[in-house]
Amino acid sequence: MTPRKKRKSAPPVPVAVSATDRIGALPDSLLQHVISFLPAQESVRTCVLARRWRHLWKSTRALRIVGLDGREPASVEDLRVFVDHLLMLRERTDLESVEMRFHSCSEGEVPYVSLWTRFALMCKVRALSLEISHAYFYPDDLPLASRYLKTLDLYGLGLQKAFLDFSGCPALEDLKMSECNISVDRMSSPSLKHLSITGCLSDLRARLRISTPGLVSFKLDDFFGKTPFLENMALLQTACVNLGKSFSDVCMNYNSGVFCGDNKNGCVNCISHNDGSSDCVLLGGISSAKHLELISESSKLLFTRDLKCCPTFSKLKTLLLNEYWCEAPDLDPLACILKKTPVLEKLTLQLYLKGPTHKVEIKGSYSPMEGPSTISEHLNIVEVKCNVVDEKILKVLKFLSAFNIR
């Protein structure tokens, strides 16, 4: 009788984590990535889960200092002791991102926030976000210096000259400023690719000059004070400019598309614009863009002034305009911009909209005529969006038909 073959034993069951503890089976690096999305307070609390978790929070790649429970921002006073201990105990690992959001910050607490900001820069942070919800926060007026900082998001800050000196940030590519008081007359960065300025204020008499030659996208929305002067942005792809409701650069006697100008009844703003200057404040800087949105309140002077020395938009493919461009008696602003966009493919007019949506959309296209054309022969889409077709809209449609747009 042949000897009985020895039965192969079943493979050993791994002593892995039980089915109910799948999170515990994850590697430390992944766990640290997950808890980095938590507010700093909750991230620290994970140390009580198990012995393995005791030190994970100390070397996360992100810090979110956003309030006691991660809901509403707290004041700097509420978080000062916690943050001081947090930064003292954590390991000096590099940081991908740091987010700090506070409800308020008193003058005596400014050095703490400035110190925490410098700590983030020392840890080679790539993305830094700083927000103060109520009242302006004026950080120490020292220049930022980091070879690693790529993204900077500022909300509610009072920004002075040294803080906006980005010569020490050669890798900075993305800058957002919201609800900030910009107390400088010049801002420059050769590395910046994306710039957004929303709801900001400048109380200086001189215009803020922006020099960002490498910019790819630009947004200027509701700027209070003198509109910034844009220097050449040769690489620009997209730009959105909304001049908003600020009383600077506004004709106080504006009526039916006509500015009062420099006469006996002229307003101070009109007189100051009649200075013989040939420089465009806005249009010259963004003339290389491929996609543009140009929105203005009716009484604004800037675009009308710039059109007197309007550059050619030699690369512009799509253009969105609002009723500002269609209110002058002969619609001269619209005619001018159409003649300066030789390769335009799509024109959108958002006229007299109340709210973010429209009820009526009229579509047309350009039909080339014999002989030289005054507008782009590539214009194949024309959209007119409005709430109702009234006399103002019919006037615009009649104007477009004169350019053989039907």
Side-chain angles (χ1 to χ4, degrees):
M1 186 174 177
T2 56
R4 188 174 179 178
K5 292 184 179 179
K6 188 176 181 180
R7 183 178 177 181
K8 292 183 178 179
S9 58
V13 179
V15 195
V17 190
S18 65
T20 58
D21 188 20
R22 294 181 180 178
I23 293 181
L26 299 175
D28 286 357
S29 59
L30 188 53
L31 292 177
Q32 288 173 326
H33 178 71
V34 172
I35 65 176
S36 69
F37 290 96
L38 297 174
Q41 297 89 331
E42 296 182 15
S43 175
V44 173
R45 288 171 185 163
T46 60
C47 69
V48 302
L49 295 177
R51 178 175 297 179
R52 181 189 175 198
W53 291 76
R54 187 173 299 173
H55 302 291
L56 289 179
W57 65 271
K58 294 183 179 181
S59 52
T60 58
R61 301 277 288 176
L63 286 178
R64 298 187 66 238
I65 304 170
V66 295
L68 292 174
D69 295 311
R71 300 182 183 93
E72 293 298 322
S75 67
V76 174
E77 181 181 6
D78 293 334
L79 291 175
R80 184 174 63 81
V81 174
F82 168 77
V83 176
D84 282 346
H85 283 82
L86 171 74
L87 302 186
M88 186 185 305
L89 295 174
R90 80 177 307 274
E91 297 176 4
R92 295 299 183 265
T93 52
D94 293 350
L95 287 166
E96 287 292 335
S97 65
V98 172
E99 177 186 358
M100 294 187 285
R101 290 195 291 119
F102 304 109
H103 177 274
S104 58
C105 177
S106 68
E107 183 177 351
E109 293 161 348
V110 168
Y112 294 102
V113 180
S114 297
L115 182 63
W116 301 338
T117 302
R118 305 297 161 181
F119 176 89
L121 296 176
M122 287 176 58
C123 292
K124 303 178 182 180
V125 65
R126 268 68 169 176
L128 175 62
S129 177
L130 179 56
E131 173 186 331
I132 307 293
S133 301
H134 296 270
Y136 288 122
F137 163 73
Y138 287 84
D140 291 342
D141 193 25
L142 297 173
L144 296 177
S146 171
R147 295 187 293 111
Y148 306 93
L149 186 64
K150 296 185 67 174
T151 300
L152 183 60
D153 192 346
L154 306 173
Y155 183 101
L157 271 65
L159 303 172
Q160 303 175 73
K161 186 173 183 179
F163 196 89
L164 288 182
D165 177 5
F166 298 120
S167 59
C169 299
L172 185 64
E173 295 182 353
D174 194 337
L175 173 62
K176 295 180 181 178
M177 296 185 290
S178 304
E179 309 293 333
C180 292
N181 186 352
I182 304 174
S183 301
V184 299
D185 56 9
R186 185 172 183 82
M187 183 180 72
S188 64
S189 171
S191 62
L192 209 59
K193 294 182 178 180
H194 309 282
L195 174 61
S196 174
I197 304 174
T198 305
C200 291
L201 163 70
S202 174
D203 52 8
L204 299 180
R205 291 187 178 181
R207 295 186 188 279
L208 166 66
R209 297 182 72 95
I210 298 177
S211 176
T212 49
L215 213 62
V216 175
S217 68
F218 175 68
K219 179 179 180 180
L220 179 67
D221 191 4
D222 275 345
F223 191 88
F224 294 83
K226 285 187 174 293
T227 307
F229 184 101
L230 307 181
E231 297 186 3
N232 186 35
M233 303 171 178
L235 304 180
L236 195 65
Q237 297 288 317
T238 62
C240 177
V241 177
N242 185 345
L243 295 186
K245 300 178 180 180
S246 168
F247 286 105
S248 296
D249 299 320
V250 165
C251 173
M252 300 301 182
N253 302 314
Y254 175 87
N255 183 29
S256 302
V258 178
F259 302 106
C260 68
D262 185 4
N263 55 46
K264 63 180 180 179
N265 297 317
C267 69
V268 175
N269 287 341
C270 274
I271 294 172
S272 66
H273 279 74
N274 191 16
D275 56 7
S277 173
S278 60
D279 290 335
C280 289
V281 174
L282 288 171
L283 297 183
I286 59 178
S287 60
S288 297
K290 294 183 178 180
H291 309 281
L292 269 183
E293 294 184 17
L294 301 176
I295 308 295
S296 178
E297 292 292 315
S298 296
S299 57
K300 284 285 187 177
L301 294 160
L302 253 297
F303 286 136
T304 299
R305 168 187 165 151
D306 278 9
L307 288 174
K308 294 179 180 179
C309 54
C310 185
T312 298
F313 294 81
S314 58
K315 303 176 184 177
L316 192 63
K317 301 290 187 180
T318 67
L319 176 63
L320 184 149
L321 304 172
N322 73 330
E323 61 272 7
Y324 169 90
W325 300 84
C326 304
E327 287 191 333
D330 297 324
L331 278 72
D332 290 339
L334 179 59
C336 180
I337 199 75
L338 288 178
K339 293 174 182 178
K340 294 291 185 175
T341 52
V343 297
L344 187 66
E345 297 176 358
K346 180 180 179 181
L347 171 66
T348 301
L349 299 177
Q350 293 184 350
L351 306 180
Y352 308 102
L353 296 182
K354 296 180 180 179
T357 58
H358 60 278
K359 297 180 180 179
V360 180
E361 183 171 332
I362 305 168
K363 292 188 177 182
S365 61
Y366 170 65
S367 300
M369 302 172 62
E370 292 185 3
S373 174
T374 57
I375 65 173
S376 170
E377 60 183 16
H378 306 282
L379 186 59
N380 51 41
I381 300 177
V382 179
E383 298 176 340
V384 178
K385 300 179 180 181
C386 57
N387 286 329
V388 62
V389 179
D390 55 14
E391 291 184 4
K392 293 179 179 179
I393 303 301
L394 291 175
K395 178 182 177 181
V396 174
L397 296 178
K398 183 179 180 180
F399 170 85
L400 293 175
S401 67
F403 283 91
N404 217 30
I405 298 173
R406 308 182 187 281

